[in-house]
Amino acid sequence: MAEPMTASGVSGEAPAFAVRGLGKHFGGIHACREIELEFRAGEVLAILGENGAGKSTTVKCLHGLYQPDEGQVEVSGRAVHFRSPRDAEAAGISMIPQELDLFPDLSIAENLFLGQKRPRRPWGGFDQRAMNRQAREVMAALGVDVDVTAPVKTFSAATGRLVEIARALNRDARLIIMDEPTAALTEKETENLFEVIRRLKAAGVSIIYITHRLNECFTISDRIVVMRDGRLIRSGPAEEFTIGSLVDAMVGRPLETLYSRHSRPIGDVVFEVRGLTLGNVFSNVDFEVRSGEVLGVSGLIGSGRSEMAQAIYGIAPADRGEIIVDRKSVDVRSVSDALASGIAYLPEERRSQGLILPFTIAANMSLSVLALFSRLGFVNRKLEDGFASESARRFTVTGAALSSPVENLSGGNQQKVLIAKVLALDPKVVILDEPTRGVDVGAKSEVYRIIDDLAARNKAIVVISSEMNEVMSISDRIIVMHEGRISGRFTRDEFSQQAIGAAAAGQRLHHAA
């Protein structure tokens, strides 16, 4: 048997933390095996891989949520056994999950002391002033000046992320695991988080950074580890990698094969928006989409992109303007109006806005067309299951039985279930808001294939995306929004990151000839 790959830091003294020969299986399936990792003080190690590659299982063993079946965890060169996350936290390991684990109605200070020993007054009660003072000191160490007595729910997701980091530091964490920390952050908030990570590095804290945003690895990590099928595939200093080599290691095929876009004839105008306006959110939005065409919508978060899409779909109807489908003006005041007009929308947040997580995969797929399988209030399960099976085949949904809760699926497969639900009514116009957010590169490739297939079937498609490479690769034309207005229009031969980025920042206007 080949020697297991080792992802080591600089030679010398024992690493602050390590896993040696780590393996974990569930039933007959090995989630990870022969994992050798070292984490040194003041270093950021990025762990990359598709959903199901073994990343989460590995770090959950490190954090004590799982107990490994093979191998061991080491702290300062000594083998340890964590029976729970509390044991790991006592040893200096904290984990910040992708979904914020905070109590929104409690203050920042109260969240920082959850599960920890609190300062007390001489008579035994909690010393709230001391808690607030310590909370201010910890937040200040991260370069953050906020009111620690205010409820967490009054702050942004970015501040919530910093509160999670502060809570880890309040537990004297020396290794912090960050799982998709920038998934819900703006570009500016992401840069602020990176500055906090740099402060942590300077203080000697080790960071494990898990992300699907590959470009971030080159900004913030010192080393990169790639996992596939539960094993370490490649590791090394960040400067030894490129985006292409990362993708190749993660999915086993070159970057060029990820984007599906075949040449096809573009038909007549199917969908038009004229003068669409909603208060001070967006105004005078005009564009058109032809059959078989993909219109990309770029712009910074907060530019009005998603709000425009939600207005078109009737979630928050526009104050004025016109929506035209097949040359007929339609009055969209509700989601039902949009669906009846042939408009479908895939929301940005699949878990909170698109799926009912405890429901089965089959039930989520058929939810928008339940009337087709119902009579007198009863659902024909055989017809519903047949529809779900065909949808699962068409959109390559894998990972669990159709009778399983959709929450059991990976992020990429959840997204494909949502796409199946959105397309169940065979709409004429398809609006996709951040269709690949939070999914791995393999699942992204599947989503791109689905979009390309929709275009081949003469649908009019609008794709809203924050990823420049994505929107440039799959679009026939691009419009850019800035502060609620269209700030740039580009045909495919005019695409450039510089021009689109400038329009997104509102630095200049560009109009296609």
Side-chain angles (χ1 to χ4, degrees), residues 320-373:
R320 63 180 184 273
E322 191 175 15
I323 298 172
I324 303 168
V325 179
D326 278 344
R327 300 182 181 179
K328 294 180 181 179
S329 182
V330 296
D331 185 22
V332 179
R333 311 309 300 170
S334 68
V335 171
S336 297
D337 291 339
L339 291 173
S341 302
I343 302 171
Y345 170 65
L346 183 140
E348 181 179 6
E349 298 293 339
R350 61 176 174 269
R351 294 175 66 87
S352 60
Q353 299 174 359
L355 298 172
I356 303 177
L357 297 178
F359 280 26
T360 66
I361 297 167
N364 272 277
M365 284 180 170
S366 63
L367 200 56
S368 61
V369 288
L370 206 55
L372 298 178
F373 318 120

Side-chain angles (χ1 to χ4, degrees), residues 89-116:
E89 287 163 4
I93 303 173
S94 285
M95 184 169 180
I96 299 173
Q98 183 174 354
E99 303 293 334
L100 289 179
D101 186 23
L102 299 172
F103 288 83
D105 291 312
L106 297 183
S107 71
I108 288 177
E110 289 166 332
N111 271 280
L112 257 57
F113 280 92
L114 286 175
Q116 300 184 59

